Amino acid sequence: MKQFFKFMFASMLGTFLTLIAIMFISLMILFGMVYSLKDDGKAKVEKNSVLEIRLDEKITERGSDETFPKINPLSQTIETSLGLDQIIRSIEKAADDENIKGIFLTVEGIEGGMSTVTEIRNALVEFKKSKKFITAYSEFYSQKAYYLASVADKIYVNPEGYLDFRGLRSNPMFFKGTFEKLDVEVQIIRHGKYKSFAEPFFLDKMSKENREQIGKLLSTIWDEMLGNISASRNISVDELKNISDNLLIRKAADAVSYKLADEVAFYDEVEKDLKKSCGTEEKSKLKSISLARYVKGADDQPYSKNKIAVIYAVGGIKSGGSDEDDMGSETIAAAIKKARLDSTVKAIVLRVNSPGGSALASDVIWREVTLAKKSKPVVVSMGDVAASGGYYISCAADTIVAQPNTITGSIGVIGIILNTQKFFSNKLGITFDTVKTGRFSDFGSQNRPLTAEEKKIGENEVERIYTGFVAHVAEGRHMETA
C-alpha cells in the first residue's frame, strides 16, 4: 500500500510539474510575441514602401496607450485593436512621409460603423492631394469595404471574387410571440411614438412610425454612399442605383464591366503593379509596412503648454465608473471637470459615440458640460451614434459636429417593466406572497401587474424626464421648446 501511494503521489507531482512547465513555456511564447510586436513598432520605413491598410481588427474610437497589448490566456492569443484616431493620424503622416509611395487597401469587412468608415475615407481623399497613389485589392468586397475602397485610384478584384452592391436593409427581430408563449406581460411606459427601442417586446412587426424612420435612415446613408462613390468613380448616381436595384454585379467581371472596379487580377499580379508604382524592380520584394506597425510611429505628438483636451464618451451611459463597454457618469464628469479647471487646457473636444442609457447619468455629464462651457469652448464630435442620452450629453456644447451618416438626435423616453406572475405560476408552479409597510413598497415588482395608479406615476416620471431633456436641448441649441 505504501508503494501504491508513493507511486501515486510521484505521478501527481510529475503531472503538476508538467502543467507548470507548459504554462511557463506558453507565457514565455506570449511575452516573446509581445516583445516582437514592440520591436516591429520601432521598425523604420524603407524607401519606396507602401502602407498596407487591412482594417481586419476591431476599430475603437481611441487607440490604446498601454505598453503591452491584451493577452487572452485561454486562446493564448494577443488581442489587438486600432483606434480611429491612430488610423487617421497615420494616413496624415503617410502623406508627408517621403518613404511612403502610396497606400495599399486590402479590405473585405470592416469592424466599424458607417461614420467611422466615412472618417477614414475622408482621410484617404485628403491623402490623394499628396499625389501619391491608392490601390485597392480584395477577394471579396462587402458594401462597407467597397465604399471605402472606391476612393482608390485603381480597384482590383480577384477573378473568382465578388463585389457586393445591392443596397442596405434592416430586419429587426420581434419577441412578442415568445413573451406570449411564456405568459410574460411586457408593460411599456413611454413618451414619443418614434421611440422604437421597446417595439420588439410588444409588437410582431415595425410600427408605421418606426418603418418611416428606419426607411429615412437607410435611404440617407445609402444616398451618402452613392454620392461619394459617384464622385470617386465618375459614375452617375442614377446608374449606381440601376446597378444595385437590378443586382447587376453577380461576378467579379461584372464589377469591371460596370466600372465599379478596374481589373480582375490575382494577388501576385497586383503585387507586380504595386512594385512598378513604387519604382521597385520586378524581381525585388515589395516593400510594405502594415498599418499596425506604422501606427506606433505616428503617435508622437508635439508638446505645448496650450492644449486641447479630447475626452472620449463611448458606449452606453450608466451611473458610477466607466468600464470596457460603458461610460460611467462619474468618470466622464470628472474628466470634464479636470479639463475645465486646468488653465493650460484652452478648449475641450467631447467625442461622443453612444446609443444612450441612464437619464440620470446623462444629466450628471450634461451638468459638467454646461459648467465647462462657461470658462472655455466645448465642441462635440459625434461618431457612429450619438442618440438619446448620447445627444443629451452633447446638447449643451458650443458647437456640435456630426458626419452625414451619424445616427443622432432623440425621439423619446421609455420604461419597461416585465410582469412574470403568470409565467412563474403557469409554467413553473411558483407563486408569490407579499408583506409590505406601505402602499408602494413593492412598486416595480416583476411578479404582479402594475396598478392604474402606478402606471400614472410611471407616465408622470417619463414625462418629467422628457420635458427636462427638451428644455436642455432648447437652451443649448437656442431654440424654442415647442
Side-chain angles (χ1 to χ4, degrees), residues 139-150:
E139 294 176 0
F140 168 76
Y141 289 98
S142 67
Q143 294 190 114
K144 199 183 291 183
Y146 179 72
Y147 174 54
L148 181 68
S150 64

Side-chain angles (χ1 to χ4, degrees), residues 11-26:
S11 177
M12 288 173 62
L13 180 61
T15 302
F16 177 73
L17 292 174
T18 301
L19 290 172
I20 293 293
I22 291 171
M23 288 176 63
F24 178 77
I25 292 169
S26 297

Side-chain angles (χ1 to χ4, degrees), residues 85-122:
D85 59 327
Q86 294 174 320
I87 295 169
I88 292 174
R89 199 155 62 238
S90 296
I91 294 170
E92 290 171 349
K93 181 188 175 186
D96 297 323
D97 190 337
E98 60 183 17
N99 292 325
I100 296 292
K101 292 297 182 181
I103 287 176
F104 182 32
L105 291 173
T106 55
V107 289
E108 289 190 0
I110 302 175
E111 286 197 52
M114 284 306 304
S115 175
T116 294
V117 176
T118 296
E119 293 204 44
I120 297 171
R121 193 181 190 280
N122 289 344

Side-chain angles (χ1 to χ4, degrees), residues 128-190:
K128 292 178 74 171
K129 293 179 182 179
S130 67
K131 304 301 180 183
K132 297 180 180 183
F133 69 85
I134 299 177
T135 297
Y137 167 80
S138 185
E139 294 176 0
F140 168 76
Y141 289 98
S142 67
Q143 294 190 114
K144 199 183 291 183
Y146 179 72
Y147 174 54
L148 181 68
S150 64
V151 75
D153 301 291
K154 205 162 188 180
I155 300 174
Y156 296 91
V157 60
N158 184 282
E160 293 301 318
Y162 182 66
L163 191 155
D164 189 8
F165 197 75
R166 53 200 163 97
L168 307 179
R169 75 180 189 278
S170 174
N171 52 339
M173 189 181 294
F174 293 85
F175 312 107
K176 178 187 176 184
T178 303
F179 285 113
E180 288 176 347
K181 289 179 183 293
L182 295 173
D183 280 340
V184 173
E185 179 191 8
V186 182
Q187 303 169 112
I188 306 293
I189 302 173
R190 65 172 178 167

